[in-house]
Coordinates of all heavy atoms in Angstrom, one line a residue:
M1 N 13.8 80.8 -38.8 CA 12.8 81.0 -37.8 C 11.6 80.1 -38.0 O 10.9 79.9 -37.0 CB 12.1 82.5 -38.1 CG 12.9 83.5 -37.3 SD 12.0 85.1 -37.5 CE 13.5 86.1 -37.6
G2 N 11.5 79.5 -39.1 CA 10.5 78.6 -39.3 C 10.5 77.3 -38.4 O 9.5 76.8 -38.0
H3 N 11.7 77.0 -38.0 CA 11.8 75.8 -37.0 C 11.5 76.2 -35.7 O 11.3 75.3 -34.8 CB 13.3 75.4 -37.2 CG 13.8 75.0 -38.4 ND1 15.1 75.0 -38.9 CD2 13.0 74.4 -39.5 CE1 15.2 74.6 -40.1 NE2 14.0 74.2 -40.5
T4 N 11.4 77.5 -35.3 CA 11.0 77.8 -34.0 C 9.5 77.6 -33.7 O 9.0 77.8 -32.6 CB 11.3 79.3 -33.7 OG1 10.5 80.2 -34.4 CG2 12.7 79.5 -33.8
E5 N 8.8 77.2 -34.7 CA 7.3 77.0 -34.5 C 7.1 75.5 -34.6 O 5.9 75.1 -34.5 CB 6.5 77.6 -35.7 CG 6.7 79.1 -35.8 CD 5.7 79.9 -35.1 OE1 4.6 79.4 -35.0 OE2 5.9 81.0 -34.7
L6 N 8.0 74.6 -34.8 CA 7.8 73.2 -34.8 C 7.6 72.5 -33.5 O 8.5 72.8 -32.6 CB 8.9 72.6 -35.7 CG 8.9 73.0 -37.1 CD1 10.2 72.4 -37.8 CD2 7.7 72.7 -38.0
M7 N 6.6 71.7 -33.4 CA 6.3 70.8 -32.2 C 6.3 71.7 -31.0 O 6.8 71.2 -29.8 CB 7.4 69.8 -32.1 CG 7.3 68.8 -33.5 SD 8.5 67.5 -33.8 CE 9.3 67.2 -32.2
L8 N 5.9 72.9 -31.0 CA 5.7 73.8 -29.8 C 4.3 74.3 -29.8 O 3.7 74.6 -30.9 CB 6.8 74.9 -29.8 CG 8.2 74.4 -29.8 CD1 9.1 75.7 -30.1 CD2 8.6 73.9 -28.4
K9 N 3.8 74.7 -28.6 CA 2.5 75.4 -28.6 C 2.6 76.9 -29.0 O 1.7 77.4 -29.6 CB 1.9 75.3 -27.2 CG 1.5 73.9 -26.9 CD 0.9 73.9 -25.4 CE 0.4 72.5 -25.2 NZ -0.3 72.4 -23.9
T10 N 3.8 77.5 -28.6 CA 4.0 78.8 -29.1 C 5.4 79.0 -29.6 O 6.4 78.2 -29.2 CB 3.8 79.8 -27.9 OG1 4.8 79.5 -26.9 CG2 2.4 79.8 -27.5
S11 N 5.7 79.9 -30.4 CA 7.0 80.2 -31.1 C 8.0 80.5 -30.0 O 7.8 81.1 -29.0 CB 6.9 81.3 -32.1 OG 8.2 81.6 -32.6
S12 N 9.3 80.0 -30.2 CA 10.4 80.3 -29.3 C 11.3 81.3 -29.9 O 12.3 81.6 -29.4 CB 11.1 79.0 -29.0 OG 11.7 78.4 -30.2
A13 N 10.9 81.8 -31.2 CA 11.8 82.7 -31.9 C 12.2 84.0 -31.1 O 13.4 84.3 -31.0 CB 11.1 83.2 -33.2
D14 N 11.3 84.8 -30.5 CA 11.7 85.9 -29.8 C 12.5 85.6 -28.5 O 13.5 86.4 -28.3 CB 10.4 86.7 -29.3 CG 9.7 87.4 -30.5 OD1 10.4 87.6 -31.5 OD2 8.4 87.6 -30.4
E15 N 12.3 84.5 -27.8 CA 13.1 84.1 -26.7 C 14.5 83.8 -27.1 O 15.5 84.3 -26.5 CB 12.5 82.9 -26.1 CG 13.2 82.4 -24.9 CD 12.6 81.0 -24.3 OE1 11.5 80.9 -24.5 OE2 13.5 80.4 -23.7
I16 N 14.7 83.1 -28.3 CA 15.9 82.9 -28.8 C 16.7 84.2 -29.3 O 17.9 84.4 -28.9 CB 15.9 81.8 -30.0 CG1 15.4 80.5 -29.4 CG2 17.2 81.7 -30.7 CD1 15.1 79.5 -30.5
I17 N 16.0 84.9 -29.9 CA 16.5 86.2 -30.4 C 17.0 87.1 -29.3 O 18.1 87.7 -29.2 CB 15.6 87.0 -31.4 CG1 15.4 86.2 -32.6 CG2 16.2 88.4 -31.6 CD1 14.2 86.6 -33.4
E18 N 16.2 87.2 -28.3 CA 16.4 88.1 -27.1 C 17.7 87.5 -26.3 O 18.5 88.3 -25.9 CB 15.3 88.2 -26.2 CG 14.2 89.0 -26.7 CD 12.8 89.0 -26.1 OE1 12.7 88.3 -25.2 OE2 11.9 89.6 -26.5
R19 N 17.8 86.2 -26.3 CA 18.9 85.6 -25.5 C 20.2 85.7 -26.3 O 21.3 85.9 -25.7 CB 18.5 84.2 -25.1 CG 19.5 83.5 -24.3 CD 19.1 82.3 -23.6 NE 20.1 81.8 -22.9 CZ 20.0 80.6 -22.3 NH1 18.9 79.8 -22.4 NH2 21.0 80.1 -21.4
F20 N 20.1 85.4 -27.7 CA 21.4 85.2 -28.4 C 21.5 86.3 -29.5 O 22.5 86.1 -30.4 CB 21.4 83.8 -29.0 CG 21.4 82.7 -28.0 CD1 20.2 81.9 -27.9 CD2 22.5 82.4 -27.3 CE1 20.2 80.9 -27.0 CE2 22.4 81.3 -26.4 CZ 21.3 80.6 -26.2
G21 N 20.7 87.3 -29.5 CA 20.6 88.2 -30.7 C 22.0 88.9 -30.9 O 22.3 89.1 -32.1
S22 N 22.7 89.2 -29.9 CA 24.0 89.9 -30.2 C 25.1 88.9 -30.7 O 26.1 89.4 -31.3 CB 24.6 90.4 -28.8 OG 24.9 89.4 -27.9
R23 N 24.8 87.6 -30.7 CA 25.7 86.6 -31.3 C 25.3 86.0 -32.6 O 26.0 85.3 -33.1 CB 25.9 85.5 -30.2 CG 26.5 86.0 -28.9 CD 26.6 85.0 -27.8 NE 26.9 83.6 -28.2 CZ 26.6 82.6 -27.4 NH1 26.1 82.8 -26.2 NH2 26.9 81.4 -27.8
L24 N 24.1 86.4 -33.1 CA 23.6 85.9 -34.3 C 24.4 86.5 -35.5 O 24.8 87.7 -35.5 CB 22.2 86.3 -34.6 CG 21.2 85.6 -33.6 CD1 19.8 86.2 -33.9 CD2 21.2 84.2 -33.8
L25 N 24.8 85.6 -36.4 CA 25.6 86.0 -37.5 C 24.7 85.8 -38.8 O 25.1 86.5 -39.8 CB 26.9 85.1 -37.7 CG 27.8 85.2 -36.5 CD1 28.9 84.2 -36.8 CD2 28.3 86.6 -36.3
H26 N 23.8 85.0 -38.9 CA 23.0 84.8 -40.1 C 21.7 84.2 -39.6 O 21.5 83.5 -38.7 CB 23.7 83.9 -40.9 CG 23.0 83.6 -42.3 ND1 23.0 84.5 -43.3 CD2 22.4 82.6 -42.7 CE1 22.3 84.0 -44.3 NE2 22.0 82.8 -44.1
V27 N 20.6 84.5 -40.5 CA 19.2 84.1 -40.1 C 18.7 83.3 -41.4 O 18.9 83.8 -42.5 CB 18.3 85.3 -39.8 CG1 16.9 84.8 -39.7 CG2 18.8 85.9 -38.5
H28 N 18.0 82.2 -41.1 CA 17.3 81.5 -42.2 C 15.8 81.7 -41.9 O 15.4 81.6 -40.8 CB 17.7 80.0 -42.2 CG 19.0 79.6 -42.7 ND1 19.2 78.5 -43.3 CD2 20.2 80.2 -42.6 CE1 20.5 78.4 -43.6 NE2 21.1 79.6 -43.2
L29 N 15.1 82.0 -43.0 CA 13.7 82.4 -42.7 C 12.8 81.8 -43.7 O 13.1 81.7 -44.9 CB 13.5 84.0 -42.8 CG 12.2 84.6 -42.8 CD1 11.6 84.4 -41.4 CD2 12.3 86.1 -43.0
H30 N 11.7 81.2 -43.2 CA 10.6 80.7 -44.0 C 9.4 80.6 -43.0 O 9.5 80.7 -41.9 CB 10.9 79.3 -44.6 CG 11.1 78.2 -43.5 ND1 12.4 77.9 -43.0 CD2 10.3 77.3 -43.1 CE1 12.3 77.0 -42.2 NE2 11.0 76.5 -42.2
D31 N 8.3 80.5 -43.8 CA 7.0 80.4 -43.0 C 6.6 78.9 -42.7 O 7.2 78.0 -43.5 CB 5.8 81.1 -43.7 CG 4.8 81.8 -42.7 OD1 4.8 81.3 -41.6 OD2 4.1 82.7 -43.2
N32 N 5.9 78.7 -41.7 CA 5.5 77.3 -41.4 C 4.1 77.3 -40.8 O 3.6 78.3 -40.5 CB 6.4 76.7 -40.4 CG 7.3 75.6 -40.9 OD1 7.0 75.0 -42.0 ND2 8.4 75.3 -40.3
K33 N 3.5 76.2 -40.6 CA 2.3 76.0 -39.9 C 2.2 75.4 -38.6 O 1.2 74.9 -38.1 CB 1.2 75.4 -40.9 CG 1.0 76.3 -42.1 CD -0.1 75.7 -43.0 CE -0.4 76.5 -44.2 NZ -1.6 76.0 -44.9
G34 N 3.3 75.3 -38.0 CA 3.4 74.5 -36.7 C 3.4 73.0 -36.9 O 3.7 72.6 -38.0
G35 N 3.2 72.3 -35.7 CA 3.1 70.9 -35.9 C 4.5 70.3 -36.1 O 5.5 70.9 -35.6
D36 N 4.6 69.2 -36.9 CA 5.9 68.7 -37.1 C 6.3 68.6 -38.5 O 7.4 68.1 -38.9 CB 5.9 67.2 -36.5 CG 4.9 66.2 -37.1 OD1 4.1 66.8 -38.1 OD2 4.8 65.0 -36.8
A37 N 5.6 69.3 -39.4 CA 5.9 69.3 -40.8 C 6.7 70.6 -41.0 O 6.1 71.6 -40.9 CB 4.6 69.3 -41.6
D38 N 7.9 70.5 -41.5 CA 8.8 71.6 -41.8 C 8.6 72.0 -43.2 O 9.2 71.4 -44.1 CB 10.2 71.2 -41.6 CG 11.2 72.4 -41.6 OD1 10.7 73.6 -41.6 OD2 12.3 72.2 -41.7
L39 N 7.6 72.9 -43.5 CA 7.0 73.1 -44.9 C 7.9 74.1 -45.7 O 7.8 74.1 -46.9 CB 5.6 73.5 -44.7 CG 4.7 72.6 -44.1 CD1 3.3 73.3 -43.9 CD2 4.5 71.3 -44.8
H40 N 8.7 74.9 -45.0 CA 9.4 76.0 -45.9 C 8.5 76.7 -46.8 O 8.8 76.8 -48.0 CB 10.6 75.3 -46.5 CG 11.7 74.9 -45.6 ND1 11.6 73.7 -44.9 CD2 12.8 75.5 -45.2 CE1 12.7 73.6 -44.2 NE2 13.4 74.6 -44.3
L41 N 7.6 77.3 -46.2 CA 6.5 78.1 -47.1 C 7.0 79.5 -47.3 O 7.7 80.1 -46.7 CB 5.1 78.1 -46.3 CG 4.5 76.8 -46.0 CD1 3.4 77.0 -45.0 CD2 4.1 76.1 -47.2
P42 N 6.4 80.1 -48.4 CA 6.7 81.5 -48.6 C 6.0 82.4 -47.4 O 5.2 81.9 -46.8 CB 5.8 81.8 -49.9 CG 5.5 80.5 -50.5 CD 5.5 79.5 -49.4
L43 N 6.6 83.5 -47.3 CA 6.2 84.4 -46.2 C 4.7 84.7 -46.3 O 4.3 85.1 -47.4 CB 7.1 85.6 -46.2 CG 8.5 85.4 -46.0 CD1 9.3 86.8 -45.7 CD2 8.9 84.4 -44.8
G44 N 3.9 84.6 -45.2 CA 2.6 84.8 -45.3 C 1.7 83.6 -45.6 O 0.5 83.8 -45.5
A45 N 2.3 82.6 -45.9 CA 1.5 81.3 -46.3 C 1.3 80.5 -45.1 O 0.6 79.5 -45.1 CB 2.2 80.6 -47.4
G46 N 2.0 80.8 -44.0 CA 1.9 80.0 -42.8 C 1.3 80.8 -41.6 O 0.7 81.8 -41.8
T47 N 1.7 80.4 -40.4 CA 1.2 81.0 -39.2 C 2.3 81.9 -38.4 O 1.9 82.5 -37.4 CB 0.6 80.0 -38.3 OG1 1.6 79.1 -37.9 CG2 -0.6 79.3 -39.0
I48 N 3.5 81.9 -38.9 CA 4.4 82.7 -38.2 C 4.3 84.1 -38.3 O 4.0 84.7 -39.3 CB 5.9 82.3 -38.7 CG1 6.2 80.7 -38.4 CG2 7.0 83.1 -38.1 CD1 7.5 80.2 -39.0
D49 N 4.4 84.8 -37.1 CA 4.3 86.3 -37.1 C 5.7 86.9 -37.5 O 6.4 87.3 -36.6 CB 3.8 86.7 -35.8 CG 3.5 88.3 -35.8 OD1 3.9 89.0 -36.7 OD2 2.9 88.7 -34.7
V50 N 6.0 86.8 -38.7 CA 7.4 87.2 -39.2 C 7.7 88.7 -38.8 O 8.8 88.9 -38.4 CB 7.6 86.9 -40.7 CG1 8.9 87.4 -41.2 CG2 7.4 85.4 -41.1
A51 N 6.7 89.5 -39.0 CA 7.0 91.0 -38.7 C 7.3 91.1 -37.3 O 8.2 92.0 -36.9 CB 5.7 91.7 -39.1
K52 N 6.7 90.5 -36.3 CA 7.0 90.5 -35.0 C 8.4 90.1 -34.7 O 9.2 90.7 -34.0 CB 6.0 89.7 -34.2 CG 6.4 89.6 -32.7 CD 5.4 88.7 -32.0 CE 5.8 88.4 -30.6 NZ 5.3 87.2 -30.1
H53 N 8.8 89.0 -35.3 CA 10.1 88.4 -35.1 C 11.3 89.3 -35.7 O 12.4 89.5 -35.1 CB 10.2 87.0 -35.5 CG 9.3 86.1 -34.9 ND1 9.0 86.1 -33.6 CD2 8.5 85.0 -35.4 CE1 8.1 85.2 -33.2 NE2 7.8 84.6 -34.3
L54 N 10.9 89.9 -36.8 CA 11.9 90.8 -37.4 C 12.2 92.1 -36.5 O 13.3 92.6 -36.4 CB 11.4 91.2 -38.9 CG 11.4 90.2 -39.9 CD1 10.9 90.7 -41.1 CD2 12.8 89.7 -40.2
A55 N 11.0 92.6 -36.0 CA 11.2 93.7 -35.0 C 12.0 93.3 -33.9 O 12.9 94.1 -33.4 CB 9.8 94.2 -34.5
T56 N 11.8 92.0 -33.3 CA 12.7 91.6 -32.3 C 14.2 91.6 -32.7 O 15.1 91.9 -32.0 CB 12.2 90.2 -31.8 OG1 10.8 90.3 -31.4 CG2 13.1 89.8 -30.6
L57 N 14.4 91.1 -33.9 CA 15.8 91.1 -34.4 C 16.4 92.5 -34.5 O 17.6 92.7 -34.1 CB 15.9 90.5 -35.8 CG 15.9 88.9 -36.0 CD1 15.7 88.5 -37.5 CD2 17.3 88.5 -35.6
Q58 N 15.6 93.4 -35.0 CA 16.1 94.8 -35.1 C 16.4 95.4 -33.7 O 17.4 96.0 -33.5 CB 15.1 95.7 -35.9 CG 15.1 95.4 -37.3 CD 14.3 96.4 -38.1 OE1 13.7 97.3 -37.5 NE2 14.3 96.2 -39.3
R59 N 15.5 95.1 -32.6 CA 15.8 95.6 -31.3 C 17.0 95.0 -30.8 O 17.7 95.6 -29.9 CB 14.6 95.3 -30.4 CG 13.4 96.2 -30.6 CD 12.4 96.1 -29.5 NE 11.9 94.7 -29.3 CZ 10.9 94.1 -30.0 NH1 10.3 94.8 -31.0 NH2 10.5 92.9 -29.7
A60 N 17.4 93.7 -31.2 CA 18.6 93.1 -30.7 C 19.9 93.6 -31.5 O 20.9 93.3 -31.1 CB 18.5 91.5 -30.9
G61 N 19.6 94.4 -32.5 CA 20.8 95.1 -33.1 C 21.2 94.3 -34.3 O 22.2 94.6 -34.9
Y62 N 20.4 93.3 -34.7 CA 20.8 92.5 -35.9 C 20.7 93.3 -37.2 O 19.7 94.0 -37.5 CB 19.9 91.3 -36.0 CG 20.4 90.3 -37.0 CD1 21.5 89.4 -36.8 CD2 19.7 90.2 -38.3 CE1 21.9 88.6 -37.8 CE2 20.2 89.4 -39.3 CZ 21.3 88.6 -39.0 OH 21.8 87.7 -40.0
D63 N 21.8 93.2 -37.9 CA 21.8 93.8 -39.2 C 22.5 93.0 -40.2 O 23.3 93.5 -41.0 CB 22.3 95.2 -39.2 CG 22.1 96.0 -40.4 OD1 21.1 95.8 -41.1 OD2 23.0 97.0 -40.8
G64 N 22.4 91.7 -40.0 CA 23.2 90.7 -40.9 C 22.4 90.3 -42.1 O 21.3 90.9 -42.4
T65 N 22.8 89.2 -42.5 CA 22.1 88.5 -43.7 C 21.0 87.6 -43.2 O 20.9 87.1 -42.3 CB 23.1 87.7 -44.7 OG1 23.7 86.7 -43.8 CG2 24.2 88.7 -45.2
I66 N 20.0 87.5 -44.2 CA 18.8 86.7 -44.0 C 18.6 85.9 -45.3 O 18.5 86.5 -46.4 CB 17.5 87.5 -43.8 CG1 17.6 88.3 -42.4 CG2 16.3 86.5 -43.7 CD1 16.4 89.1 -42.1
T67 N 18.7 84.6 -45.2 CA 18.4 83.7 -46.3 C 17.0 83.2 -46.3 O 16.6 82.7 -45.2 CB 19.4 82.5 -46.2 OG1 20.7 82.9 -46.4 CG2 19.1 81.5 -47.4
L68 N 16.3 83.4 -47.3 CA 14.9 82.8 -47.5 C 15.0 81.4 -47.9 O 15.6 81.1 -48.9 CB 14.2 83.7 -48.5 CG 13.7 85.0 -48.1 CD1 13.2 85.8 -49.2 CD2 12.7 85.0 -47.0
E69 N 14.4 80.5 -47.1 CA 14.4 79.1 -47.3 C 13.0 78.7 -47.8 O 12.3 78.0 -47.1 CB 14.8 78.3 -46.2 CG 16.1 78.4 -45.7 CD 16.5 77.4 -44.7 OE1 15.8 77.4 -43.6 OE2 17.5 76.7 -44.8
V70 N 12.6 79.2 -49.0 CA 11.3 78.9 -49.6 C 11.4 77.8 -50.7 O 12.1 78.0 -51.6 CB 10.7 80.2 -50.2 CG1 9.4 80.0 -50.9 CG2 10.7 81.3 -49.1
F71 N 10.9 76.6 -50.3 CA 11.0 75.5 -51.1 C 9.7 75.4 -52.1 O 8.7 75.0 -51.7 CB 11.1 74.3 -50.3 CG 12.3 74.1 -49.4 CD1 12.4 73.0 -48.6 CD2 13.4 75.0 -49.4 CE1 13.6 72.9 -47.8 CE2 14.5 75.0 -48.7 CZ 14.6 73.9 -47.8
T72 N 9.9 75.9 -53.3 CA 9.0 75.9 -54.3 C 9.5 75.8 -55.7 O 10.7 76.3 -56.0 CB 8.1 77.2 -54.2 OG1 7.1 77.2 -55.2 CG2 9.0 78.4 -54.2
P73 N 8.8 75.2 -56.6 CA 9.3 75.1 -58.0 C 8.9 76.4 -58.7 O 9.4 76.7 -59.8 CB 8.5 73.9 -58.6 CG 7.3 73.8 -57.9 CD 7.7 74.3 -56.4
D74 N 8.2 77.3 -58.1 CA 7.8 78.6 -58.7 C 8.6 79.7 -58.2 O 8.4 80.1 -57.1 CB 6.3 78.7 -58.6 CG 5.7 79.9 -59.4 OD1 6.6 80.8 -59.8 OD2 4.5 80.0 -59.5
P75 N 9.6 80.3 -59.0 CA 10.4 81.3 -58.5 C 9.6 82.6 -58.0 O 10.0 83.4 -57.2 CB 11.3 81.7 -59.6 CG 10.8 81.0 -60.8 CD 9.9 79.9 -60.3
A76 N 8.3 82.7 -58.5 CA 7.5 83.9 -58.2 C 7.3 83.9 -56.7 O 7.2 85.0 -56.0 CB 6.2 83.9 -58.9
F77 N 7.1 82.7 -56.0 CA 6.9 82.7 -54.5 C 8.2 83.2 -53.8 O 8.1 83.8 -52.7 CB 6.5 81.4 -54.1 CG 5.2 80.9 -54.5 CD1 5.0 79.9 -55.4 CD2 4.1 81.6 -54.0 CE1 3.7 79.5 -55.8 CE2 2.8 81.2 -54.4 CZ 2.6 80.2 -55.3
L78 N 9.3 82.9 -54.3 CA 10.6 83.4 -53.7 C 10.7 84.9 -53.9 O 11.0 85.6 -52.9 CB 11.8 82.7 -54.2 CG 13.1 83.1 -53.7 CD1 13.2 82.9 -52.1 CD2 14.2 82.3 -54.3
R79 N 10.3 85.4 -55.0 CA 10.4 86.9 -55.3 C 9.4 87.6 -54.4 O 9.7 88.6 -53.8 CB 10.1 87.2 -56.8 CG 11.4 86.9 -57.7 CD 11.2 87.5 -59.0 NE 10.0 86.8 -59.8 CZ 10.1 85.7 -60.5 NH1 11.2 85.0 -60.5 NH2 9.1 85.2 -61.1
Y80 N 8.2 87.0 -54.3 CA 7.2 87.6 -53.4 C 7.8 87.6 -51.9 O 7.5 88.5 -51.2 CB 5.9 86.8 -53.5 CG 4.8 87.2 -52.4 CD1 4.1 88.4 -52.6 CD2 4.8 86.5 -51.2 CE1 3.1 88.7 -51.7 CE2 3.8 86.9 -50.2 CZ 3.1 88.0 -50.5 OH 2.2 88.4 -49.5
S81 N 8.3 86.5 -51.5 CA 8.8 86.5 -50.2 C 9.9 87.5 -49.9 O 10.0 88.2 -48.9 CB 9.4 85.1 -49.7 OG 8.3 84.2 -49.8
A82 N 10.8 87.7 -50.9 CA 11.8 88.7 -50.8 C 11.3 90.1 -50.7 O 11.8 90.9 -49.9 CB 12.8 88.6 -51.9
D83 N 10.2 90.4 -51.5 CA 9.5 91.7 -51.4 C 8.9 91.9 -50.1 O 9.0 92.9 -49.4 CB 8.5 91.8 -52.5 CG 9.2 92.0 -53.9 OD1 10.4 92.3 -54.0 OD2 8.4 91.7 -54.9
R84 N 8.2 90.9 -49.6 CA 7.6 90.9 -48.2 C 8.6 91.1 -47.1 O 8.4 91.9 -46.2 CB 6.8 89.7 -48.0 CG 5.5 89.7 -48.7 CD 4.5 90.7 -48.5 NE 4.2 90.9 -47.1 CZ 4.2 92.0 -46.3 NH1 4.4 93.1 -46.9 NH2 3.9 91.8 -45.0
L85 N 9.7 90.4 -47.2 CA 10.8 90.6 -46.2 C 11.3 92.0 -46.3 O 11.4 92.6 -45.1 CB 11.9 89.6 -46.5 CG 13.2 89.7 -45.6 CD1 12.9 89.7 -44.2 CD2 14.3 88.7 -46.0
R86 N 11.6 92.6 -47.4 CA 12.1 94.0 -47.5 C 11.1 94.9 -46.8 O 11.4 95.8 -46.1 CB 12.3 94.3 -48.9 CG 13.7 93.7 -49.4 CD 13.9 94.3 -50.9 NE 14.9 93.4 -51.4 CZ 14.7 92.4 -52.3 NH1 13.5 92.2 -52.7 NH2 15.6 91.7 -52.8
A87 N 9.8 94.8 -47.2 CA 8.8 95.6 -46.6 C 8.6 95.5 -45.1 O 8.6 96.5 -44.4 CB 7.4 95.3 -47.3
M88 N 8.5 94.2 -44.7 CA 8.4 94.0 -43.2 C 9.7 94.5 -42.5 O 9.5 95.1 -41.3 CB 8.2 92.5 -42.8 CG 6.9 92.1 -43.2 SD 6.4 90.4 -42.7 CE 7.3 89.5 -43.9
W89 N 10.9 94.4 -43.0 CA 12.1 94.8 -42.3 C 12.1 96.4 -42.2 O 12.3 97.0 -41.1 CB 13.3 94.5 -43.1 CG 14.6 94.8 -42.4 CD1 15.3 95.9 -42.6 CD2 15.1 94.1 -41.3 NE1 16.5 95.9 -41.7 CE2 16.4 94.8 -40.9 CE3 14.8 92.9 -40.6 CZ2 17.2 94.3 -39.9 CZ3 15.7 92.5 -39.6 CH2 16.8 93.2 -39.2
G90 N 11.6 97.0 -43.2 CA 11.4 98.5 -43.2 C 10.4 98.9 -42.2 O 10.6 100.0 -41.4
E91 N 9.3 98.2 -42.2 CA 8.2 98.5 -41.2 C 8.5 98.4 -39.8 O 8.1 99.0 -38.9 CB 6.9 97.8 -41.6 CG 6.3 98.2 -43.0 CD 5.2 97.2 -43.4 OE1 4.8 96.3 -42.6 OE2 4.7 97.4 -44.5
A92 N 9.3 97.3 -39.6 CA 9.8 96.9 -38.2 C 10.7 98.1 -37.5 O 10.7 98.3 -36.4 CB 10.5 95.6 -38.2
G93 N 11.4 98.8 -38.4 CA 12.2 99.8 -37.9 C 11.5 101.2 -37.6 O 12.1 102.1 -37.1
R94 N 10.2 101.2 -37.8 CA 9.5 102.5 -37.5 C 9.0 102.6 -36.2 O 8.9 101.7 -35.4 CB 8.3 102.5 -38.5 CG 8.6 102.7 -39.8 CD 7.4 102.9 -40.7 NE 7.9 102.8 -42.1 CZ 7.1 102.7 -43.1 NH1 5.8 102.6 -43.0 NH2 7.5 102.6 -44.4

């Protein structure tokens, strides 16, 4: 999802999910800040509305795997992102 924010004025994630959601087999997820730098940030460190996009995934019936692509030398940021992902996935289903 982080790539859907690059070099665009607005995210294309929901449009892509709505169009291809039934065919998605796997999702790669990281946060970003837009522009042209693919930062692979921990969830919450960028500007992506991850919770909104997760809700769109759920509405599309997605229940597959999600790989966190958090590039950091500190594994605590990956654990934090995993915890946030679980929480947001649960909240999106309410």
Side-chain angles (χ1 to χ4, degrees):
M1 275 187 216
H3 299 151
T4 66
E5 301 265 334
L6 295 177
M7 299 173 20
L8 298 170
K9 289 184 181 181
T10 60
S11 173
S12 61
D14 287 338
E15 178 183 338
I16 292 168
I17 294 165
E18 289 166 359
R19 185 166 183 187
F20 299 105
S22 64
R23 296 172 37 197
L24 291 177
L25 300 175
H26 184 72
V27 171
H28 287 216
L29 177 62
H30 63 274
D31 213 337
N32 251 340
K33 292 187 177 184
D36 61 355
D38 190 13
L39 302 173
H40 289 82
L41 298 171
L43 301 187
T47 58
I48 295 177
D49 190 347
V50 174
K52 175 184 170 203
H53 301 321
L54 291 176
T56 303
L57 273 172
Q58 286 187 0
R59 282 193 305 277
Y62 187 77
D63 193 26
T65 56
I66 298 175
T67 295
L68 288 167
E69 291 188 308
V70 176
F71 296 174
T72 175
D74 186 343
F77 289 113
L78 182 55
R79 285 191 295 275
Y80 172 80
S81 292
D83 291 343
R84 288 297 305 134
L85 173 57
R86 286 184 194 99
M88 286 187 282
W89 187 261
E91 292 168 9
R94 293 182 187 167

